[in-house]
Amino acid sequence: MHFSIPETEVCSGENGSTYVAYNIHVNGVLHCRVRYSQLLGLHEQIKKEYGSNVVPAFPPKKIFTLTPAEVEQRREQLEKYMQAVRQDPLLGASEMFNSFLRKAQQETQQIPTEEVTLDICLSNGQKVTVNILSSDQTEDVLDAVATKLDLPDDLVGYFSLFLVRESVDGGLTFVRKLQEFELPYVSITSLRSSDFHILLRKSYWDMAYDTDVMDNRVGLNLLYAQTVSDIERGWILVNKDQHRQLKSLQEKGSKKEFIHLGQTLKYYGYIKFDPCITDFPEKGCQVIVSAGNNELNFHVKLPNEQMKEGSFKVTRMRCWRVTSSQVPVSNGTTNPCSSAKCEVKLELAFEYLMSKDRLQWVTITSQQAIMMSICLQSMVDELMVKKSGGSIKKMLRKRHNGSIHRPDSQQAVKSPPLLDSPDPNREQIVKLSTKLSSVSLRGISASNSANDISGNDFHGNYAFEGIGDDDL
């Protein structure tokens, strides 16, 4: 998750006095508005619970009223503090930190704790209405949905709640996976737009786990509805013969057979992102990115209008990062960058093992960059659990977030490197890459229909230490 404090506000207190409020944004969207004293209170609690040696540095108190320059300095320091706490595996996952953010979110949006109803969308367009408290956290809401659907407890971890935006033409944009530090009712209500919905969708990548889900009637229906929806949206590619077979199975009510056939189709289980920009294979190329099957798939439109397609395997990514920067929308000063003049530009960049000893950075400029990063991280987590023989059910219950730091004027969210750096492991990558062939994007002729497209998967040895083709 990308934490930032891009702005401050001067607010009025109950007694008529004024104070400076710091707006905490998550993924570029306002999450909560807090005072310095509130963050100081959180800091003292964390320090008491975990010890002074674990807690990052906190900006000191000031005796006199802060000047504008001092307010800006404190904003930067508080931003670094929030990022440092969030990136710490112990502090960032603590109930103390998450409950603080939930309470602050509720207070900022001024939504009292009360019994409410919340609509959760299913992939087939149906809605499940659950009775919850407005202060219920994500896991509570997910459990309420599972109870309403009669989904067994041991299958709840296979699904997650996603915040999505639906366009007029029916297009679906994945904004983010709802996190443990937010209140779904407050999150969706504060957006004040009917375009946004909360969607229930499977949260694993390996189709082998479909078997677990399909053994249960409710799980089968959810997976079937998602498969039908993805096909109808064109996320899963189907040719005429396959379409005929699917239609026949659908008419017979053969849901398992329908899913089994779906598993053989291109892009089954992928999440498709909105059109964006990449610098591969050339700078400024338009691209449609899809995530699934332990890869990011690129469908690229080159400057000469030629279409090419290829895939980047997560197991050959050495590391990746998400960076954000304030970009002026119109002419004017950008320091500080006001919301009226600037917007957040997000980029996902990953270092990829192209061939032999050649590593190359590939960049995607997209407002969904953080969602892409979350997908990559969950793929890695799933692979590592599978490698270690751990429980996928236990892993799916956990929340995964990349570490955060701020270099210069940019924010950065970095994934844990798949291989530690620097030089000794760089040599290891060279050894791993000796069997790899060169990476190229296969051209797609204009005469090819979407149903006939097949990608170049860039197959080769994995860039995981200790994981090879026989292990996965």
Side-chain angles (χ1 to χ4, degrees):
M1 289 291 102
H2 179 267
F3 275 65
S4 63
I5 305 179
E7 58 198 7
T8 61
E9 290 185 30
V10 177
C11 300
S12 299
E14 294 179 358
N15 58 359
S17 62
T18 60
Y19 63 90
V20 175
Y22 298 86
N23 292 342
I24 298 177
H25 287 232
V26 179
N27 291 10
V29 177
L30 176 66
H31 178 79
C32 60
R33 186 178 293 110
V34 297
R35 301 177 67 159
Y36 169 84
S37 58
Q38 290 175 285
L39 290 175
L40 177 60
L42 171 66
H43 173 70
E44 294 297 335
Q45 282 184 296
I46 293 177
K47 187 166 63 172
K48 183 179 179 180
E49 179 71 21
Y50 297 100
S52 301
N53 59 326
V54 176
V55 184
F58 192 83
K61 290 182 179 180
K62 300 283 186 179
I63 299 176
F64 303 105
T65 302
L66 272 62
T67 65
E70 289 173 327
V71 169
E72 173 62 16
Q73 182 184 43
R74 177 174 281 182
R75 180 197 66 78
E76 292 183 356
Q77 292 172 336
L78 289 174
E79 183 175 68
K80 290 178 181 178
Y81 175 82
M82 291 297 292
Q83 293 170 352
V85 172
R86 184 59 187 175
Q87 79 174 4
D88 186 280
L90 182 64
L91 304 181
S94 69
E95 179 58 22
M96 185 180 296
F97 182 67
N98 290 322
S99 62
F100 172 86
L101 290 173
R102 291 194 295 266
K103 183 179 179 181
Q105 182 191 23
Q106 186 177 10
E107 291 178 349
T108 298
Q109 299 302 332
Q110 298 182 334
I111 296 178
T113 297
E114 57 186 359
E115 292 184 355
V116 295
T117 59
L118 181 63
D119 288 336
I120 305 298
C121 296
L122 305 181
S123 296
N124 60 1
Q126 293 182 338
K127 293 181 180 179
V128 176
T129 301
V130 292
N131 297 308
I132 60 169
L133 291 176
S134 55
S135 57
D136 279 345
Q137 59 186 291
T138 300
E139 190 167 349
D140 295 331
V141 176
L142 180 59
D143 287 339
V145 176
T147 299
K148 190 70 177 285
L149 292 172
D150 200 24
L151 184 69
D153 290 344
D154 62 346
L155 291 183
V156 176
Y158 287 81
F159 295 88
S160 292
L161 299 176
F162 295 86
L163 179 65
V164 299
R165 184 176 67 247
E166 190 169 2
S167 59
V168 178
D169 61 1
L172 200 64
T173 298
F174 278 78
V175 179
R176 69 175 183 272
K177 179 180 175 181
L178 294 185
Q179 301 295 310
E180 72 278 21
F181 55 75
E182 64 181 311
L183 311 176
Y185 178 82
V186 176
S187 295
I188 196 72
T189 302
S190 63
L191 290 169
R192 297 178 176 84
S193 172
S194 59
D195 295 339
F196 291 90
H197 309 290
I198 297 178
L199 176 70
L200 179 71
R201 185 180 173 91
K202 75 175 187 179
S203 58
Y204 58 89
W205 301 99
D206 191 339
M207 69 176 68
Y209 299 119
D210 286 349
T211 303
D212 296 344
V213 176
M214 288 191 292
D215 282 343
N216 173 263
R217 175 184 56 82
V218 178
L220 172 63
N221 288 336
L222 290 172
L223 191 57
Y224 172 75
Q226 179 176 314
T227 306
V228 171
S229 174
D230 287 356
I231 290 173
E232 290 177 345
R233 292 183 183 279
W235 288 15
I236 298 175
L237 298 186
V238 182
N239 61 33
K240 290 182 179 180
D241 183 56
Q242 292 164 340
H243 184 272
R244 179 185 55 77
Q245 295 178 58
L246 289 168
K247 186 176 181 180
S248 175
L249 291 171
Q250 197 169 21
E251 290 173 349
K252 295 177 182 176
S254 304
K255 296 179 181 179
K256 282 190 177 182
E257 290 77 5
F258 185 97
I259 294 171
H260 286 316
L261 178 55
Q263 291 172 335
T264 67
L265 304 178
K266 189 170 177 62
Y267 302 137
Y268 173 83
Y270 282 62
I271 287 180
K272 189 175 183 180
F273 299 98
D274 293 343
C276 52
I277 303 297
T278 183
D279 63 357
F280 186 88
E282 298 179 35
K283 207 167 187 178
C285 290
Q286 298 178 36
V287 62
I288 294 178
V289 180
S290 299
N293 192 31
N294 299 321
E295 68 181 21
L296 288 183
N297 178 273
F298 275 32
H299 196 92
V300 182
K301 183 178 182 180
L302 300 177
N304 63 4
E305 302 300 313
Q306 184 183 6
M307 301 299 296
K308 291 190 175 182
E309 184 184 17
S311 297
F312 296 92
K313 289 291 185 181
V314 68
T315 45
R316 292 178 64 183
M317 295 179 187
R318 195 186 73 87
C319 64
W320 69 86
R321 63 170 179 257
V322 175
T323 58
S324 76
S325 56
Q326 301 281 0
V327 179
V329 176
S330 58
N331 292 332
T333 59
T334 61
N335 189 22
C337 190
S338 67
S339 58
K341 294 181 181 180
C342 291
E343 62 182 14
V344 176
K345 176 185 177 182
L346 294 173
E347 290 185 339
L348 169 71
F350 55 88
E351 192 175 25
Y352 196 74
L353 185 62
M354 291 290 184
S355 62
K356 296 186 177 181
D357 59 350
R358 186 166 71 92
L359 284 162
Q360 178 178 334
W361 282 97
V362 177
T363 302
I364 305 166
T365 303
S366 168
Q367 289 305 110
Q368 294 175 285
I370 297 170
M371 182 65 191
M372 293 179 190
S373 176
I374 290 173
C375 290
L376 290 176
Q377 185 62 60
S378 61
M379 289 177 192
V380 171
D381 292 333
E382 197 170 296
L383 283 169
M384 297 306 290
V385 168
K386 187 175 181 180
K387 169 64 179 176
S388 65
S391 169
I392 184 70
K393 295 179 182 180
K394 184 177 179 181
M395 185 276 289
L396 288 171
R397 271 297 199 181
K398 295 179 181 178
R399 304 294 188 260
H400 308 288
N401 298 279
S403 59
I404 305 170
H405 71 274
R406 177 182 181 162
D408 302 322
S409 62
Q410 289 188 326
Q411 304 299 327
V413 182
K414 292 193 72 174
S415 69
L418 303 187
L419 289 175
D420 294 333
S421 57
D423 293 341
N425 289 310
R426 283 299 185 93
E427 294 175 3
Q428 191 168 13
I429 291 177
V430 173
K431 293 176 182 177
L432 282 172
S433 65
T434 54
K435 299 179 181 179
L436 298 177
S437 57
S438 61
V439 177
S440 61
L441 288 172
R442 182 183 63 82
I444 302 173
S445 66
S447 62
N448 283 355
S449 69
N451 292 335
D452 296 324
I453 293 173
S454 60
N456 176 356
D457 291 335
F458 302 166
H459 287 300
N461 279 1
Y462 294 105
F464 274 113
E465 182 177 2
I467 297 183
D469 294 288
D470 295 335
D471 297 314
L472 297 175

